[in-house]
mmCIF file of all heavy atoms in Angstrom:
data_model
loop_
_atom_site.group_PDB
_atom_site.id
_atom_site.type_symbol
_atom_site.label_atom_id
_atom_site.label_comp_id
_atom_site.label_asym_id
_atom_site.label_seq_id
_atom_site.Cartn_x
_atom_site.Cartn_y
_atom_site.Cartn_z
ATOM 1 N N ALA A 3 0.805 -7.824 -8.243
ATOM 2 C CA ALA A 3 0.693 -6.485 -7.699
ATOM 3 C C ALA A 3 0.450 -6.606 -6.203
ATOM 4 O O ALA A 3 -0.158 -7.572 -5.740
ATOM 5 C CB ALA A 3 -0.444 -5.722 -8.365
ATOM 6 N N MET A 4 0.926 -5.641 -5.444
ATOM 7 C CA MET A 4 0.873 -5.726 -3.994
ATOM 8 C C MET A 4 0.161 -4.518 -3.409
ATOM 9 O O MET A 4 0.235 -3.410 -3.944
ATOM 10 C CB MET A 4 2.286 -5.805 -3.408
ATOM 11 C CG MET A 4 3.137 -6.949 -3.946
ATOM 12 S SD MET A 4 2.511 -8.577 -3.459
ATOM 13 C CE MET A 4 2.698 -8.484 -1.680
ATOM 14 N N GLY A 5 -0.493 -4.748 -2.295
ATOM 15 C CA GLY A 5 -1.176 -3.666 -1.613
ATOM 16 C C GLY A 5 -0.984 -3.734 -0.116
ATOM 17 O O GLY A 5 -0.664 -4.790 0.442
ATOM 18 N N TRP A 6 -1.147 -2.591 0.523
ATOM 19 C CA TRP A 6 -1.207 -2.501 1.977
ATOM 20 C C TRP A 6 -2.583 -1.991 2.376
ATOM 21 O O TRP A 6 -3.086 -1.016 1.795
ATOM 22 C CB TRP A 6 -0.147 -1.557 2.536
ATOM 23 C CG TRP A 6 1.246 -2.112 2.557
ATOM 24 C CD1 TRP A 6 2.228 -1.908 1.642
ATOM 25 C CD2 TRP A 6 1.813 -2.958 3.564
ATOM 26 N NE1 TRP A 6 3.375 -2.567 2.005
ATOM 27 C CE2 TRP A 6 3.148 -3.221 3.183
ATOM 28 C CE3 TRP A 6 1.325 -3.509 4.749
ATOM 29 C CZ2 TRP A 6 4.006 -4.023 3.951
ATOM 30 C CZ3 TRP A 6 2.171 -4.313 5.511
ATOM 31 C CH2 TRP A 6 3.486 -4.558 5.109
ATOM 32 N N PHE A 7 -3.169 -2.641 3.361
ATOM 33 C CA PHE A 7 -4.436 -2.247 3.942
ATOM 34 C C PHE A 7 -4.276 -2.169 5.452
ATOM 35 O O PHE A 7 -3.316 -2.700 6.009
ATOM 36 C CB PHE A 7 -5.545 -3.240 3.578
ATOM 37 C CG PHE A 7 -5.885 -3.268 2.119
ATOM 38 C CD1 PHE A 7 -5.060 -3.912 1.203
ATOM 39 C CD2 PHE A 7 -7.033 -2.651 1.641
ATOM 40 C CE1 PHE A 7 -5.366 -3.938 -0.145
ATOM 41 C CE2 PHE A 7 -7.358 -2.672 0.295
ATOM 42 C CZ PHE A 7 -6.526 -3.312 -0.596
ATOM 43 N N ARG A 8 -5.213 -1.520 6.109
ATOM 44 C CA ARG A 8 -5.169 -1.461 7.562
ATOM 45 C C ARG A 8 -6.574 -1.530 8.132
ATOM 46 O O ARG A 8 -7.549 -1.186 7.472
ATOM 47 C CB ARG A 8 -4.464 -0.198 8.049
ATOM 48 C CG ARG A 8 -5.193 1.103 7.728
ATOM 49 C CD ARG A 8 -4.314 2.304 8.080
ATOM 50 N NE ARG A 8 -4.996 3.569 7.858
ATOM 51 C CZ ARG A 8 -4.414 4.756 7.963
ATOM 52 N NH1 ARG A 8 -3.131 4.843 8.292
ATOM 53 N NH2 ARG A 8 -5.109 5.858 7.739
ATOM 54 N N GLN A 9 -6.655 -1.980 9.373
ATOM 55 C CA GLN A 9 -7.934 -2.090 10.041
ATOM 56 C C GLN A 9 -7.767 -1.741 11.512
ATOM 57 O O GLN A 9 -7.010 -2.390 12.228
ATOM 58 C CB GLN A 9 -8.515 -3.494 9.897
ATOM 59 C CG GLN A 9 -9.928 -3.634 10.430
ATOM 60 C CD GLN A 9 -10.578 -4.937 10.014
ATOM 61 O OE1 GLN A 9 -9.896 -5.921 9.741
ATOM 62 N NE2 GLN A 9 -11.896 -4.942 9.946
ATOM 63 N N ALA A 10 -8.472 -0.717 11.940
ATOM 64 C CA ALA A 10 -8.488 -0.325 13.336
ATOM 65 C C ALA A 10 -9.612 -1.063 14.048
ATOM 66 O O ALA A 10 -10.589 -1.488 13.419
ATOM 67 C CB ALA A 10 -8.678 1.186 13.458
ATOM 68 N N PRO A 11 -9.504 -1.219 15.369
ATOM 69 C CA PRO A 11 -10.563 -1.906 16.114
ATOM 70 C C PRO A 11 -11.924 -1.256 15.896
ATOM 71 O O PRO A 11 -12.068 -0.037 16.013
ATOM 72 C CB PRO A 11 -10.116 -1.777 17.570
ATOM 73 C CG PRO A 11 -8.632 -1.634 17.492
ATOM 74 C CD PRO A 11 -8.382 -0.837 16.243
ATOM 75 N N GLY A 12 -12.900 -2.070 15.569
ATOM 76 C CA GLY A 12 -14.244 -1.574 15.351
ATOM 77 C C GLY A 12 -14.456 -0.869 14.032
ATOM 78 O O GLY A 12 -15.555 -0.363 13.778
ATOM 79 N N LYS A 13 -13.431 -0.829 13.192
ATOM 80 C CA LYS A 13 -13.523 -0.150 11.903
ATOM 81 C C LYS A 13 -13.390 -1.153 10.764
ATOM 82 O O LYS A 13 -12.880 -2.265 10.946
ATOM 83 C CB LYS A 13 -12.434 0.914 11.770
ATOM 84 C CG LYS A 13 -12.435 1.965 12.866
ATOM 85 C CD LYS A 13 -13.644 2.879 12.756
ATOM 86 C CE LYS A 13 -13.585 3.972 13.820
ATOM 87 N NZ LYS A 13 -12.399 4.857 13.644
ATOM 88 N N GLU A 14 -13.836 -0.748 9.599
ATOM 89 C CA GLU A 14 -13.671 -1.576 8.423
ATOM 90 C C GLU A 14 -12.250 -1.476 7.891
ATOM 91 O O GLU A 14 -11.546 -0.488 8.110
ATOM 92 C CB GLU A 14 -14.654 -1.156 7.331
ATOM 93 C CG GLU A 14 -16.103 -1.416 7.653
ATOM 94 C CD GLU A 14 -17.025 -1.135 6.483
ATOM 95 O OE1 GLU A 14 -16.549 -1.163 5.326
ATOM 96 O OE2 GLU A 14 -18.203 -0.892 6.716
ATOM 97 N N ARG A 15 -11.830 -2.507 7.203
ATOM 98 C CA ARG A 15 -10.540 -2.497 6.540
ATOM 99 C C ARG A 15 -10.509 -1.381 5.502
ATOM 100 O O ARG A 15 -11.483 -1.171 4.771
ATOM 101 C CB ARG A 15 -10.297 -3.849 5.870
ATOM 102 C CG ARG A 15 -9.007 -3.958 5.081
ATOM 103 C CD ARG A 15 -8.932 -5.320 4.399
ATOM 104 N NE ARG A 15 -10.060 -5.525 3.501
ATOM 105 C CZ ARG A 15 -10.429 -6.706 3.026
ATOM 106 N NH1 ARG A 15 -9.781 -7.804 3.382
ATOM 107 N NH2 ARG A 15 -11.461 -6.795 2.203
ATOM 108 N N GLU A 16 -9.402 -0.670 5.427
ATOM 109 C CA GLU A 16 -9.284 0.404 4.461
ATOM 110 C C GLU A 16 -7.983 0.300 3.677
ATOM 111 O O GLU A 16 -6.960 -0.172 4.175
ATOM 112 C CB GLU A 16 -9.389 1.778 5.129
ATOM 113 C CG GLU A 16 -8.241 2.115 6.063
ATOM 114 C CD GLU A 16 -8.315 3.540 6.586
ATOM 115 O OE1 GLU A 16 -9.095 4.345 6.038
ATOM 116 O OE2 GLU A 16 -7.588 3.850 7.550
ATOM 117 N N PHE A 17 -8.044 0.781 2.460
ATOM 118 C CA PHE A 17 -6.895 0.788 1.573
ATOM 119 C C PHE A 17 -5.867 1.803 2.034
ATOM 120 O O PHE A 17 -6.213 2.903 2.476
ATOM 121 C CB PHE A 17 -7.356 1.118 0.151
ATOM 122 C CG PHE A 17 -6.243 1.454 -0.789
ATOM 123 C CD1 PHE A 17 -5.421 0.461 -1.305
ATOM 124 C CD2 PHE A 17 -6.010 2.770 -1.165
ATOM 125 C CE1 PHE A 17 -4.391 0.769 -2.179
ATOM 126 C CE2 PHE A 17 -4.988 3.088 -2.037
ATOM 127 C CZ PHE A 17 -4.177 2.084 -2.547
ATOM 128 N N VAL A 18 -4.591 1.439 1.910
ATOM 129 C CA VAL A 18 -3.501 2.333 2.268
ATOM 130 C C VAL A 18 -2.629 2.657 1.053
ATOM 131 O O VAL A 18 -2.428 3.826 0.716
ATOM 132 C CB VAL A 18 -2.624 1.739 3.386
ATOM 133 C CG1 VAL A 18 -1.424 2.642 3.669
ATOM 134 C CG2 VAL A 18 -3.451 1.531 4.649
ATOM 135 N N ALA A 19 -2.108 1.624 0.391
ATOM 136 C CA ALA A 19 -1.190 1.843 -0.721
ATOM 137 C C ALA A 19 -1.154 0.625 -1.623
ATOM 138 O O ALA A 19 -1.448 -0.493 -1.200
ATOM 139 C CB ALA A 19 0.226 2.158 -0.213
ATOM 140 N N HIS A 20 -0.754 0.848 -2.870
ATOM 141 C CA HIS A 20 -0.680 -0.209 -3.873
ATOM 142 C C HIS A 20 0.548 0.017 -4.736
ATOM 143 O O HIS A 20 0.890 1.167 -5.034
ATOM 144 C CB HIS A 20 -1.941 -0.195 -4.749
ATOM 145 C CG HIS A 20 -1.890 -1.112 -5.934
ATOM 146 N ND1 HIS A 20 -2.422 -2.387 -5.896
ATOM 147 C CD2 HIS A 20 -1.387 -0.942 -7.184
ATOM 148 C CE1 HIS A 20 -2.233 -2.962 -7.080
ATOM 149 N NE2 HIS A 20 -1.610 -2.107 -7.868
ATOM 150 N N ILE A 21 1.195 -1.073 -5.138
ATOM 151 C CA ILE A 21 2.293 -0.995 -6.091
ATOM 152 C C ILE A 21 2.077 -2.063 -7.150
ATOM 153 O O ILE A 21 1.838 -3.234 -6.847
ATOM 154 C CB ILE A 21 3.666 -1.123 -5.403
ATOM 155 C CG1 ILE A 21 4.794 -0.887 -6.414
ATOM 156 C CG2 ILE A 21 3.821 -2.467 -4.693
ATOM 157 C CD1 ILE A 21 6.138 -0.624 -5.757
ATOM 158 N N SER A 22 2.159 -1.657 -8.403
ATOM 159 C CA SER A 22 1.899 -2.558 -9.507
ATOM 160 C C SER A 22 3.099 -3.441 -9.789
ATOM 161 O O SER A 22 4.182 -3.287 -9.208
ATOM 162 C CB SER A 22 1.539 -1.758 -10.762
ATOM 163 O OG SER A 22 2.691 -1.127 -11.298
ATOM 164 N N ARG A 23 2.917 -4.378 -10.704
ATOM 165 C CA ARG A 23 4.022 -5.239 -11.120
ATOM 166 C C ARG A 23 5.190 -4.438 -11.675
ATOM 167 O O ARG A 23 6.348 -4.846 -11.538
ATOM 168 C CB ARG A 23 3.545 -6.231 -12.177
ATOM 169 C CG ARG A 23 2.523 -7.235 -11.681
ATOM 170 C CD ARG A 23 1.988 -8.058 -12.833
ATOM 171 N NE ARG A 23 3.050 -8.766 -13.534
ATOM 172 C CZ ARG A 23 2.880 -9.502 -14.627
ATOM 173 N NH1 ARG A 23 1.663 -9.637 -15.148
ATOM 174 N NH2 ARG A 23 3.909 -10.114 -15.194
ATOM 175 N N ASN A 24 4.881 -3.305 -12.281
ATOM 176 C CA ASN A 24 5.905 -2.480 -12.896
ATOM 177 C C ASN A 24 6.375 -1.332 -12.016
ATOM 178 O O ASN A 24 7.161 -0.499 -12.463
ATOM 179 C CB ASN A 24 5.394 -1.922 -14.225
ATOM 180 C CG ASN A 24 5.110 -3.010 -15.231
ATOM 181 O OD1 ASN A 24 5.847 -3.981 -15.322
ATOM 182 N ND2 ASN A 24 4.035 -2.848 -15.997
ATOM 183 N N GLY A 25 5.886 -1.280 -10.785
ATOM 184 C CA GLY A 25 6.360 -0.291 -9.846
ATOM 185 C C GLY A 25 5.527 0.968 -9.718
ATOM 186 O O GLY A 25 5.913 1.877 -8.972
ATOM 187 N N GLY A 26 4.419 1.047 -10.426
ATOM 188 C CA GLY A 26 3.540 2.187 -10.262
ATOM 189 C C GLY A 26 2.895 2.170 -8.886
ATOM 190 O O GLY A 26 2.526 1.111 -8.381
ATOM 191 N N THR A 27 2.751 3.329 -8.272
ATOM 192 C CA THR A 27 2.249 3.397 -6.899
ATOM 193 C C THR A 27 0.999 4.253 -6.806
ATOM 194 O O THR A 27 0.810 5.215 -7.566
ATOM 195 C CB THR A 27 3.319 3.946 -5.952
ATOM 196 O OG1 THR A 27 3.731 5.250 -6.403
ATOM 197 C CG2 THR A 27 4.527 3.025 -5.922
ATOM 198 N N TYR A 28 0.166 3.916 -5.824
ATOM 199 C CA TYR A 28 -1.084 4.607 -5.573
ATOM 200 C C TYR A 28 -1.307 4.627 -4.067
ATOM 201 O O TYR A 28 -0.999 3.660 -3.375
ATOM 202 C CB TYR A 28 -2.250 3.906 -6.270
ATOM 203 C CG TYR A 28 -2.002 3.676 -7.740
ATOM 204 C CD1 TYR A 28 -1.349 2.530 -8.173
ATOM 205 C CD2 TYR A 28 -2.398 4.609 -8.688
ATOM 206 C CE1 TYR A 28 -1.099 2.315 -9.523
ATOM 207 C CE2 TYR A 28 -2.156 4.405 -10.038
ATOM 208 C CZ TYR A 28 -1.510 3.261 -10.453
ATOM 209 O OH TYR A 28 -1.263 3.056 -11.786
ATOM 210 N N TYR A 29 -1.875 5.734 -3.582
ATOM 211 C CA TYR A 29 -2.022 5.922 -2.148
ATOM 212 C C TYR A 29 -3.396 6.439 -1.786
ATOM 213 O O TYR A 29 -4.027 7.175 -2.553
ATOM 214 C CB TYR A 29 -0.990 6.916 -1.625
ATOM 215 C CG TYR A 29 0.441 6.484 -1.828
ATOM 216 C CD1 TYR A 29 1.151 6.875 -2.954
ATOM 217 C CD2 TYR A 29 1.072 5.693 -0.888
ATOM 218 C CE1 TYR A 29 2.461 6.480 -3.146
ATOM 219 C CE2 TYR A 29 2.391 5.291 -1.068
ATOM 220 C CZ TYR A 29 3.077 5.689 -2.201
ATOM 221 O OH TYR A 29 4.384 5.295 -2.383
ATOM 222 N N ALA A 30 -3.836 6.067 -0.605
ATOM 223 C CA ALA A 30 -5.008 6.695 -0.038
ATOM 224 C C ALA A 30 -4.682 8.151 0.286
ATOM 225 O O ALA A 30 -3.555 8.483 0.654
ATOM 226 C CB ALA A 30 -5.450 5.964 1.230
ATOM 227 N N ASP A 31 -5.674 9.022 0.152
ATOM 228 C CA ASP A 31 -5.449 10.437 0.428
ATOM 229 C C ASP A 31 -4.953 10.670 1.854
ATOM 230 O O ASP A 31 -4.168 11.591 2.101
ATOM 231 C CB ASP A 31 -6.728 11.228 0.193
ATOM 232 C CG ASP A 31 -7.079 11.350 -1.276
ATOM 233 O OD1 ASP A 31 -6.193 11.138 -2.129
ATOM 234 O OD2 ASP A 31 -8.243 11.670 -1.574
ATOM 235 N N SER A 32 -5.377 9.835 2.780
ATOM 236 C CA SER A 32 -5.032 10.027 4.175
ATOM 237 C C SER A 32 -3.552 9.800 4.472
ATOM 238 O O SER A 32 -3.057 10.264 5.505
ATOM 239 C CB SER A 32 -5.875 9.098 5.056
ATOM 240 O OG SER A 32 -5.664 7.743 4.711
ATOM 241 N N VAL A 33 -2.850 9.099 3.589
ATOM 242 C CA VAL A 33 -1.439 8.805 3.831
ATOM 243 C C VAL A 33 -0.526 9.398 2.770
ATOM 244 O O VAL A 33 0.702 9.327 2.912
ATOM 245 C CB VAL A 33 -1.182 7.291 3.932
ATOM 246 C CG1 VAL A 33 -2.102 6.664 4.972
ATOM 247 C CG2 VAL A 33 -1.355 6.607 2.579
ATOM 248 N N LYS A 34 -1.079 9.968 1.734
ATOM 249 C CA LYS A 34 -0.285 10.515 0.645
ATOM 250 C C LYS A 34 0.663 11.590 1.169
ATOM 251 O O LYS A 34 0.260 12.479 1.915
ATOM 252 C CB LYS A 34 -1.201 11.078 -0.432
ATOM 253 C CG LYS A 34 -0.520 11.383 -1.754
ATOM 254 C CD LYS A 34 -1.552 11.789 -2.808
ATOM 255 C CE LYS A 34 -2.559 10.674 -3.058
ATOM 256 N NZ LYS A 34 -3.550 11.048 -4.107
ATOM 257 N N GLY A 35 1.921 11.484 0.772
ATOM 258 C CA GLY A 35 2.931 12.415 1.232
ATOM 259 C C GLY A 35 3.634 11.978 2.495
ATOM 260 O O GLY A 35 4.681 12.548 2.844
ATOM 261 N N ARG A 36 3.079 11.000 3.201
ATOM 262 C CA ARG A 36 3.692 10.500 4.426
ATOM 263 C C ARG A 36 4.190 9.070 4.293
ATOM 264 O O ARG A 36 5.202 8.704 4.889
ATOM 265 C CB ARG A 36 2.703 10.567 5.592
ATOM 266 C CG ARG A 36 2.216 11.962 5.914
ATOM 267 C CD ARG A 36 1.408 11.982 7.195
ATOM 268 N NE ARG A 36 0.186 11.181 7.085
ATOM 269 C CZ ARG A 36 -0.121 10.161 7.877
ATOM 270 N NH1 ARG A 36 0.706 9.802 8.857
ATOM 271 N NH2 ARG A 36 -1.258 9.500 7.714
ATOM 272 N N PHE A 37 3.479 8.255 3.527
ATOM 273 C CA PHE A 37 3.815 6.842 3.361
ATOM 274 C C PHE A 37 4.367 6.601 1.966
ATOM 275 O O PHE A 37 3.960 7.254 0.998
ATOM 276 C CB PHE A 37 2.586 5.951 3.551
ATOM 277 C CG PHE A 37 2.037 5.903 4.952
ATOM 278 C CD1 PHE A 37 2.487 6.743 5.952
ATOM 279 C CD2 PHE A 37 1.038 4.985 5.258
ATOM 280 C CE1 PHE A 37 1.966 6.688 7.237
ATOM 281 C CE2 PHE A 37 0.512 4.912 6.533
ATOM 282 C CZ PHE A 37 0.973 5.765 7.520
ATOM 283 N N THR A 38 5.270 5.639 1.855
ATOM 284 C CA THR A 38 5.829 5.241 0.577
ATOM 285 C C THR A 38 5.848 3.725 0.473
ATOM 286 O O THR A 38 6.415 3.046 1.328
ATOM 287 C CB THR A 38 7.259 5.772 0.391
ATOM 288 O OG1 THR A 38 7.272 7.197 0.512
ATOM 289 C CG2 THR A 38 7.792 5.385 -0.987
ATOM 290 N N ILE A 39 5.231 3.201 -0.573
ATOM 291 C CA ILE A 39 5.264 1.769 -0.825
ATOM 292 C C ILE A 39 6.359 1.487 -1.854
ATOM 293 O O ILE A 39 6.552 2.260 -2.795
ATOM 294 C CB ILE A 39 3.895 1.243 -1.307
ATOM 295 C CG1 ILE A 39 3.903 -0.285 -1.398
ATOM 296 C CG2 ILE A 39 3.486 1.868 -2.631
ATOM 297 C CD1 ILE A 39 2.530 -0.888 -1.665
ATOM 298 N N SER A 40 7.074 0.393 -1.659
ATOM 299 C CA SER A 40 8.115 0.003 -2.595
ATOM 300 C C SER A 40 8.221 -1.513 -2.608
ATOM 301 O O SER A 40 7.675 -2.195 -1.737
ATOM 302 C CB SER A 40 9.467 0.637 -2.231
ATOM 303 O OG SER A 40 9.895 0.206 -0.951
ATOM 304 N N ARG A 41 8.923 -2.030 -3.600
ATOM 305 C CA ARG A 41 9.116 -3.474 -3.669
ATOM 306 C C ARG A 41 10.528 -3.780 -4.099
ATOM 307 O O ARG A 41 11.140 -3.043 -4.889
ATOM 308 C CB ARG A 41 8.098 -4.137 -4.607
ATOM 309 C CG ARG A 41 8.218 -3.735 -6.070
ATOM 310 C CD ARG A 41 7.016 -4.224 -6.877
ATOM 311 N NE ARG A 41 6.900 -5.675 -6.874
ATOM 312 C CZ ARG A 41 5.786 -6.348 -7.136
ATOM 313 N NH1 ARG A 41 4.657 -5.686 -7.402
ATOM 314 N NH2 ARG A 41 5.789 -7.673 -7.118
ATOM 315 N N ASP A 42 11.060 -4.871 -3.573
ATOM 316 C CA ASP A 42 12.364 -5.377 -3.937
ATOM 317 C C ASP A 42 12.137 -6.786 -4.458
ATOM 318 O O ASP A 42 12.009 -7.736 -3.683
ATOM 319 C CB ASP A 42 13.316 -5.371 -2.747
ATOM 320 C CG ASP A 42 14.735 -5.735 -3.130
ATOM 321 O OD1 ASP A 42 14.936 -6.418 -4.154
ATOM 322 O OD2 ASP A 42 15.665 -5.346 -2.397
ATOM 323 N N ASN A 43 12.067 -6.920 -5.766
ATOM 324 C CA ASN A 43 11.726 -8.211 -6.352
ATOM 325 C C ASN A 43 12.790 -9.272 -6.085
ATOM 326 O O ASN A 43 12.477 -10.458 -5.992
ATOM 327 C CB ASN A 43 11.504 -8.055 -7.851
ATOM 328 C CG ASN A 43 10.247 -7.269 -8.174
ATOM 329 O OD1 ASN A 43 9.317 -7.215 -7.379
ATOM 330 N ND2 ASN A 43 10.219 -6.652 -9.348
ATOM 331 N N ALA A 44 14.037 -8.851 -5.959
ATOM 332 C CA ALA A 44 15.103 -9.803 -5.671
ATOM 333 C C ALA A 44 14.944 -10.419 -4.291
ATOM 334 O O ALA A 44 15.417 -11.533 -4.047
ATOM 335 C CB ALA A 44 16.463 -9.128 -5.795
ATOM 336 N N LYS A 45 14.288 -9.699 -3.385
ATOM 337 C CA LYS A 45 14.069 -10.185 -2.028
ATOM 338 C C LYS A 45 12.647 -10.674 -1.794
ATOM 339 O O LYS A 45 12.306 -11.061 -0.674
ATOM 340 C CB LYS A 45 14.391 -9.087 -1.018
ATOM 341 C CG LYS A 45 15.839 -8.650 -1.021
ATOM 342 C CD LYS A 45 16.085 -7.559 0.017
ATOM 343 C CE LYS A 45 17.532 -7.136 0.044
ATOM 344 N NZ LYS A 45 17.776 -6.068 1.042
ATOM 345 N N ASN A 46 11.820 -10.651 -2.816
ATOM 346 C CA ASN A 46 10.417 -11.045 -2.681
ATOM 347 C C ASN A 46 9.741 -10.298 -1.534
ATOM 348 O O ASN A 46 9.006 -10.884 -0.733
ATOM 349 C CB ASN A 46 10.296 -12.555 -2.461
ATOM 350 C CG ASN A 46 10.378 -13.352 -3.744
ATOM 351 O OD1 ASN A 46 10.807 -12.861 -4.780
ATOM 352 N ND2 ASN A 46 9.963 -14.609 -3.682
ATOM 353 N N THR A 47 9.973 -9.012 -1.465
ATOM 354 C CA THR A 47 9.510 -8.225 -0.333
ATOM 355 C C THR A 47 8.913 -6.903 -0.796
ATOM 356 O O THR A 47 9.447 -6.259 -1.703
ATOM 357 C CB THR A 47 10.658 -7.954 0.652
ATOM 358 O OG1 THR A 47 11.198 -9.204 1.100
ATOM 359 C CG2 THR A 47 10.173 -7.172 1.855
#
């Protein structure tokens, strides 16, 4: 399963998005509707 996190200067690391092995996605409220996480297993990306 894969996730995206971010960290601004002087701030703690925060969760952004997650995608499961089966493609289920989850988002932080702050980015929901604006960000999309996806995976291409054939490209390992």
Side-chain angles (χ1 to χ4, degrees):
M4 304 293 296
W6 284 97
F7 294 77
R8 66 188 183 187
Q9 187 168 25
K13 303 290 183 63
E14 293 187 23
R15 177 184 59 197
E16 66 174 346
F17 167 75
V18 175
H20 172 95
I21 186 164
S22 73
R23 295 173 58 184
N24 297 321
T27 58
Y28 307 87
Y29 299 93
D31 288 342
S32 59
V33 306
K34 194 174 299 181
R36 299 188 297 122
F37 292 9
T38 303
I39 187 171
S40 62
R41 65 191 298 159
D42 187 336
N43 291 335
K45 297 180 179 180
N46 279 16
T47 302

